[in-house]
Amino acid sequence: MWSSAAAGDRSPDSFRRLRRRCAARLRALPLHGLDSTEALCRRLSVQRGRPIVLSPMPSDGAVCGLWLALDTTDLVFYDQASTGAHRAHIIAHELSHIICGHRSAEPLDAGTAAHLFPDLDPALVRGMLRRAAYSTVQEREAEITASLLLHLLHAAPAPADGSAADPTAARIAATLTDPPRRRWSPC
């Protein structure tokens, strides 16, 4: 279940408020015409005035994605073993941290840094986000934003006659845009 950091609110309303905040943030961005996470990277690079470089990293089972904000470049790493939709979601999640302006209070440990980036000068690293669990508001916000981003990137235009091309996709889209009003249970 979702909760707010301040009040420990575990209500469906808390989730809806967070989702609305994420959706509003995305509406403020020029995302029209994008159809891939790579296109999103290019658009965000232009907006930020600095390149965003996507790079696979060795799979260690502990970290599937990582964002490093260097002085002049944002590096987004993803598990090299990930494929297709999983890879797109990892990248969208890390890009969501950028979009949301998140920063981490948890530094990358020396062993992991040496394993992943043996040639990287630690003095260059301005900010870093490393996450292995979805326990913080920032992680939930990035996860929701990533899901909304992927929905926007892969949403097909509706047929001209107004009918749904795929009933299952229409139900999923309706769920994303209008969550149910009933009480949710963590079970």
Side-chain angles (χ1 to χ4, degrees):
M1 231 14 219
W2 308 98
S3 67
S4 70
D9 184 359
R10 294 176 134 351
S11 70
D13 286 339
S14 174
F15 171 76
R16 283 192 282 273
R17 282 190 302 272
L18 181 59
R19 189 184 176 288
R20 279 193 299 267
R21 188 172 69 226
C22 295
R25 183 175 283 124
L26 291 178
R27 279 192 301 273
L29 294 175
L31 299 177
H32 299 291
L34 299 179
D35 61 357
S36 68
T37 51
E38 292 78 9
L40 176 61
C41 283
R42 289 189 296 274
R43 181 80 50 90
L44 288 175
S45 291
V46 169
Q47 182 181 352
R48 290 171 60 78
R50 53 192 275 140
I52 297 174
V53 178
L54 299 179
S55 182
M57 67 180 178
S59 180
D60 68 357
V63 177
C64 61
L66 183 72
W67 164 43
L68 291 174
L70 304 180
D71 286 339
T72 60
T73 306
D74 288 306
L75 303 175
V76 172
F77 295 90
Y78 57 89
D79 185 343
Q80 67 187 13
S82 65
T83 59
H86 186 224
R87 176 180 294 163
H89 189 83
I90 292 167
I91 293 167
H93 180 94
E94 298 307 324
L95 293 175
S96 293
H97 284 300
I98 294 171
I99 290 167
C100 295
H102 295 161
R103 290 287 181 256
S104 179
E106 177 185 337
L108 184 64
D109 66 86
T112 301
H115 173 72
L116 295 175
F117 315 109
D119 300 323
L120 186 63
D121 178 1
L124 293 177
V125 180
R126 190 179 70 220
M128 193 284 305
L129 295 173
R130 175 181 184 243
R131 287 155 175 78
Y134 302 110
S135 59
T136 68
V137 172
Q138 282 189 359
E139 281 305 302
R140 289 189 302 273
E141 186 173 43
E143 195 65 13
I144 291 168
T145 302
S147 295
L148 293 171
L149 268 173
L150 290 173
H151 175 71
L152 290 171
L153 293 177
H154 300 291
D161 67 359
S163 65
D166 179 352
T168 302
R171 282 194 309 277
I172 292 169
T175 301
L176 289 171
T177 57
D178 187 25
R181 298 285 184 220
R182 63 182 171 81
R183 292 205 44 92
W184 294 354
S185 169
C187 299

